[in-house]
Amino acid sequence: MLLGAWGIALFLAGWEVVGQTGALGMSCPPLSAVLAVLADPARALLFQRALGATLGAVATGYGLGLVFGVVAAAAGHLLPGMRGGLDRTSSVIHAIPSVALAPLLILSLGRQATPAALAGINTYFILYVATSSGLAGTSPVLRDLMSVLGAGRWMRFVRIDLPAALPTLVSGMRMAAPGALIGAIIGEWFGASRGVGVIILNAMQNFQIPLLWSMVLLTVMISLTLFWLLGAMQLGAARRYR
Amino acid sequence: MPTAVRVAGVSKRFRLDGGADFLALDRVSVSIGAGEFVALLGPSGCGKSTLLRLVAALEEPSEGQVTVAGSAPGELARAHRLGVAFQDHALLPWLDVTANIGLPFRVAGRAVDRARVSALIGLVGLAGFEAAKPRQLSGGMRQRVAIARALVLRPDVLLLDEPFGALDAVTRRQMNIELQRIWSEQGTTTLLVTHDVREALFLADRIVVLSPRPGRVARELVVPFARPRDAAVMRTEAFHRLADELTDALGGGA
């Protein structure tokens, strides 16, 4: 823990030195300059709106991806006939690169909905895989128990399969959060009106290097915060259901 | 005494990974009367747990017939009239003792009878541990919870698959004395699977000895000790003599 803090401090200090001396050229400004942009009161409103738009897209996409992923996995578990088809469909959707899918989404859903849609697709696949494997992982002796207690498939699902799958499911929720953020930002590159991705794209095209870095830093911080929050949830689920 | 469980000429074959057949049970016939306690005694690998799984409808016989209370064994489970305690306690790790014992009520779609659950917690000696999770309990306590759960719906048939198999000798003996007491109060038709001669003699009305590979009935013995029995019976000469006899019968195939 302490060693990790030292490592991060060393990295940030190194970044500052490299930026100040200009060792890597103009494309790597010092950390202080990047933080100054991030804290610039003149830009606060712009950043707030962008952050709101991006987080909104992440929340919508993540929520939908979560619901669809879990429901699809549950359907594949309860109706074994559907399992193969669901597996293949999910894999195919996942195998299409976001940049190839985005134009299709823009045409079908519109520019404003594309960030949420890409966030949702990224979330869906991870949640589908995590929930499926969690549901399949119920111990055989608990299945025997439910069978001798006279439980049907649905009762078994509610009483043992789903609770036993929760730690894996929450672990999937944690893994999916950064993916949802990436999906939303890439989605914003394809002509959304606001969002962190829009600022990143504009800053790059206009060569506003400190602004570009500040948005990247912001993205990293959001991603780590989500990862950390869901990590706490994962720990809780693992304690309770294992 | 009417017959509660009838196993008639049952054989069970398993397909091994290599494609060869393995004969686990060979034309086994056993019947258990209503209210009778039968122990199925045999060395490990003799198919005794397989026989119990057939009665629990967890396996299908390859030949022969299993009937429980006159119908197919699955009927009893579906009617929530079957109690089973497995070698592995099979408790739900996320439920506390009370909720684990109450689980059969919920699966049966009935309201949990709280009075019945707490009476059973008292019966198996776990008062004070109502809110404990399985991981906070010792091996012996977990098995007590499993037995209480098996009894909670007052099943017509109770199946015990080496429920104390994983316990040390001292705890095991203590659990046997407690099971004797619990069973005397309930009087449920019971099939106990065990490889422990003394356990079988102490608990059962009748002992069926299975020989291994393939499992066949090698011997049947009516246990002569009167009920209620207490631990003193294990120190009598007749007990020692029968224990030696059964141990010989177990080793007979070897």
Side-chain angles (χ1 to χ4, degrees), chain B residues 35-63:
Chain B
E36 194 183 16
F37 192 133
V38 170
L40 210 52
L41 182 68
S44 43
C46 73
K48 55 192 190 301
S49 286
T50 303
L51 189 54
L52 180 136
R53 290 177 66 82
L54 288 166
V55 177
L58 293 170
E59 306 276 358
E60 296 269 323
S62 308
E63 275 160 45

Side-chain angles (χ1 to χ4, degrees), chain A residues 179-197:
Chain A
L181 188 61
I182 293 168
I185 288 173
I186 290 179
E188 286 167 354
W189 287 0
F190 292 91
S193 55
R194 57 173 66 134
V196 175

Side-chain angles (χ1 to χ4, degrees), chain A residues 138-152 155 158-165 238-242, chain B residues 53 56-58 76-80 82-84 86 88 90-94 103-104 106-109 133 135 149 153:
Chain A
T138 316
S139 79
V141 65
L142 288 186
R143 275 182 222 163
D144 284 353
L145 172 75
M146 290 314 269
S147 163
V148 300
L149 288 178
M155 184 59 88
V158 172
R159 292 283 165 202
I160 62 162
D161 293 345
L162 196 57
R239 281 217 185 111
R240 183 159 159 68
Y241 289 98
R242 237 167 223 166
Chain B
R53 290 177 66 82
L58 293 170
L76 198 72
R78 275 191 287 280
H80 315 291
L82 177 67
V84 183
F86 297 95
D88 177 322
L91 299 177
L92 275 53
W94 52 86
L103 180 73
R106 297 195 183 277
V107 172
K133 294 282 171 61
R135 66 169 172 278
R149 180 180 61 191
L153 292 181

Side-chain angles (χ1 to χ4, degrees), chain A residues 76-87:
Chain A
H77 181 73
L78 288 167
L79 309 166
M82 286 178 70
R83 181 72 197 262
L86 278 167
D87 274 358

Side-chain angles (χ1 to χ4, degrees), chain B residues 71-138:
Chain B
S71 359
E75 295 297 313
L76 198 72
R78 275 191 287 280
H80 315 291
R81 308 287 320 140
L82 177 67
V84 183
F86 297 95
Q87 187 166 5
D88 177 322
H89 54 78
L91 299 177
L92 275 53
W94 52 86
L95 297 182
D96 63 16
V97 167
T98 306
N100 261 299
I101 296 176
L103 180 73
F105 282 110
R106 297 195 183 277
V107 172
R110 285 182 226 160
V112 176
D113 181 345
R114 305 211 163 272
R116 172 77 178 150
V117 171
S118 61
L120 271 169
I121 290 175
L123 186 68
V124 298
L126 283 175
F129 291 93
E130 287 83 354
K133 294 282 171 61
R135 66 169 172 278
Q136 297 166 317
L137 302 175
S138 69

Side-chain angles (χ1 to χ4, degrees), chain B:
Chain B
M1 185 161 52
T3 305
V5 177
R6 184 187 295 281
V7 175
V10 163
S11 298
K12 177 67 185 175
R13 262 179 223 93
F14 289 105
R15 177 66 39 100
L16 299 179
D17 285 343
D21 270 356
F22 170 72
L23 187 61
L25 292 171
D26 186 20
R27 287 161 294 165
V28 172
S29 295
V30 176
S31 63
I32 307 172
E36 194 183 16
F37 192 133
V38 170
L40 210 52
L41 182 68
S44 43
C46 73
K48 55 192 190 301
S49 286
T50 303
L51 189 54
L52 180 136
R53 290 177 66 82
L54 288 166
V55 177
L58 293 170
E59 306 276 358
E60 296 269 323
S62 308
E63 275 160 45
Q65 214 184 4
V66 180
T67 48
V68 181
S71 359
E75 295 297 313
L76 198 72
R78 275 191 287 280
H80 315 291
R81 308 287 320 140
L82 177 67
V84 183
F86 297 95
Q87 187 166 5
D88 177 322
H89 54 78
L91 299 177
L92 275 53
W94 52 86
L95 297 182
D96 63 16
V97 167
T98 306
N100 261 299
I101 296 176
L103 180 73
F105 282 110
R106 297 195 183 277
V107 172
R110 285 182 226 160
V112 176
D113 181 345
R114 305 211 163 272
R116 172 77 178 150
V117 171
S118 61
L120 271 169
I121 290 175
L123 186 68
V124 298
L126 283 175
F129 291 93
E130 287 83 354
K133 294 282 171 61
R135 66 169 172 278
Q136 297 166 317
L137 302 175
S138 69
M141 291 162 113
R142 285 179 202 157
Q143 284 304 353
R144 287 178 216 207
V145 178
I147 286 171
R149 180 180 61 191
L151 290 168
V152 78
L153 292 181
R154 302 177 199 279
D156 293 342
V157 174
L158 178 65
L159 305 177
L160 304 171
D161 187 3
E162 301 210 43
F164 312 131
L167 305 181
D168 62 86
V170 177
T171 315
R172 188 178 184 130
R173 190 181 129 95
Q174 206 174 355
M175 292 296 293
N176 280 332
I177 294 168
E178 287 190 35
L179 182 61
Q180 176 75 257
R181 179 177 56 81
I182 293 165
W183 189 82
S184 308
E185 288 180 34
Q186 310 276 330
T188 313
T189 307
T190 302
L191 178 66
L192 168 76
V193 160
T194 183
H195 61 256
D196 185 330
V197 170
R198 297 168 62 82
E199 182 169 281
L201 266 178
F202 179 58
L203 291 170
D205 296 316
R206 196 152 51 86
I207 298 175
V208 176
V209 181
L210 283 191
S211 67
R213 278 179 282 271
R216 287 194 182 117
V217 176
R219 188 164 175 197
E220 282 197 49
L221 178 123
V222 174
V223 179
F225 310 116
R227 291 185 188 275
R229 293 174 196 160
D230 58 24
V233 79
M234 286 191 263
R235 290 190 289 271
T236 61
E237 210 203 311
F239 191 92
H240 289 306
R241 190 168 41 73
L242 282 174
D244 289 345
E245 221 180 290
L246 283 170
T247 309
D248 285 347
L250 276 184

